[in-house]
Amino acid sequence: MGEPSAEGIRIRLFAGLREQAGWSEHHWPAPAAHPHPTPRQLWLALQLPGELSSVRVAINHEFTTADTPLHDGDELAFLPPISGG
Amino acid sequence: MTVMSLHSSPPSAVAEAEDLQLKVDLCSEAFEPFACLEQWHRQLAAIGRWSAANSHFIGRVRSMATNGTPLLALELEHYPGMTERQLQQLATALCSRHGADSCLIQHRIGRVLPGDAIVLVGIGADRRGPAQRCCQDLLEALKHDTPFWKREWRSDGTGEWLIGNTPL
């Protein structure tokens, strides 16, 4: 593992997923040896509850796929099923 | 050209769309949808941008929870920053697709009581077809593709996050 960057990745959870996991925000220090993890890899590393297929992924406020590489300074959000309106 | 007056907190982002009059508010307190509509139509008329065809949708909180027990309140959570951005992007894209001229969205956040308005969508266009279709499409997009989450607080003291939306 290399030295973690100063910024890293900000990970956010919402609603029921946040309550199941027991936290709302997490800072993931991106190590130099593996600077571009994917949301799927972080979901597994953080041992988040449930199936990744049941949530949507957003990076920097835009929906994206679970296999999009993350970059230093990104904000990653795992979004449980939406119910607006 | 954009109209964007924010009357509630927290405010949403300002939209930029050529020829589209767009106003999006996330309201942390109860709003009166008919008063909002009247104000919006006055604003449009004042700048000569009233529309021949207008379609509106008002959604209110039901009195019963999904398990059939009386509902005390709905809790509306959102993703600050993304929710506003997504509403703006969806409204701009759908108004462009349908050729609508104006769009008003008011959406509650926080604790909402039965009977209170939770969402107001108002679309102005030159003809009823585009106005009605745009209003319906935007409402569905808002329900399925904008990060809002509802939790029911029931009279038995329990609270439960809802998964998905009611059928169309």
Side-chain angles (χ1 to χ4, degrees):
Chain A
M1 296 287 278
E3 286 296 312
S5 73
E7 276 198 285
I9 295 159
R10 183 186 187 193
I11 304 170
R12 303 189 65 181
L13 306 181
F14 293 89
L17 179 58
R18 176 192 63 232
E19 293 182 355
Q20 282 182 282
W23 53 268
S24 61
E25 284 196 32
H26 186 87
H27 178 260
W28 183 268
H34 189 41
H36 303 298
T38 65
R40 186 184 307 281
Q41 290 168 333
L42 294 187
W43 174 273
L44 295 172
L46 292 166
Q47 298 183 307
L48 287 167
E51 298 294 324
L52 178 58
S53 59
S54 69
V55 306
R56 292 170 80 174
V57 173
I59 297 176
N60 301 329
H61 296 174
E62 293 276 4
F63 288 119
T64 188
T65 69
D67 297 308
T68 303
L70 288 149
H71 296 84
D72 210 20
D74 281 349
E75 179 172 306
L76 165 66
F78 292 110
L79 310 176
I82 284 167
S83 57
Chain B
M1 181 63 190
T2 298
V3 172
M4 193 79 186
S5 68
L6 301 165
H7 66 75
S8 58
S9 60
S12 343
V14 173
E16 290 294 341
E18 194 73 25
D19 296 328
L20 173 65
Q21 306 299 311
L22 175 60
K23 183 173 187 286
V24 179
D25 290 327
L26 296 182
C27 308
S28 56
E29 296 181 358
F31 66 88
E32 172 47 57
F34 295 105
C36 291
L37 279 173
E38 182 178 11
Q39 183 186 30
W40 175 237
H41 282 266
R42 279 186 183 166
Q43 278 183 265
L44 293 175
I47 57 171
R49 296 299 304 274
W50 54 270
S51 296
N54 293 274
S55 183
H56 305 135
F57 178 86
I58 297 168
R60 294 185 186 275
V61 175
R62 290 180 173 80
S63 58
M64 301 297 281
T66 50
N67 68 353
T69 61
L71 182 74
L72 289 182
L74 267 188
E75 176 186 345
L76 262 291
E77 182 173 332
H78 74 296
Y79 182 179
M82 183 173 177
T83 301
E84 297 92 328
R85 177 176 176 162
Q86 188 69 2
L87 285 173
Q88 182 184 321
Q89 287 180 346
L90 290 169
T92 303
L94 288 169
C95 286
S96 175
R97 182 186 305 168
H98 290 284
D101 302 318
S102 63
C103 173
L104 170 68
I105 301 174
Q106 308 282 286
H107 202 295
R108 279 296 310 275
I109 53 176
R111 188 176 174 89
V112 192
L113 301 177
D116 279 358
I118 188 171
V119 63
L120 165 65
V121 176
I123 299 292
D126 188 51
R127 294 183 180 277
R128 65 189 182 282
Q132 290 175 334
R133 287 191 289 270
C134 187
C135 189
Q136 178 162 358
D137 285 356
L138 182 53
L139 184 68
E140 292 307 307
L142 180 155
K143 291 177 85 71
H144 297 282
D145 295 317
T146 307
F148 287 110
W149 298 275
K150 292 183 187 132
R151 173 155 49 182
E152 288 184 340
W153 287 104
R154 299 161 179 163
S155 59
D156 61 5
T158 61
E160 184 173 331
W161 291 103
L162 299 181
I163 304 296
N165 290 287
T166 52
L168 183 62

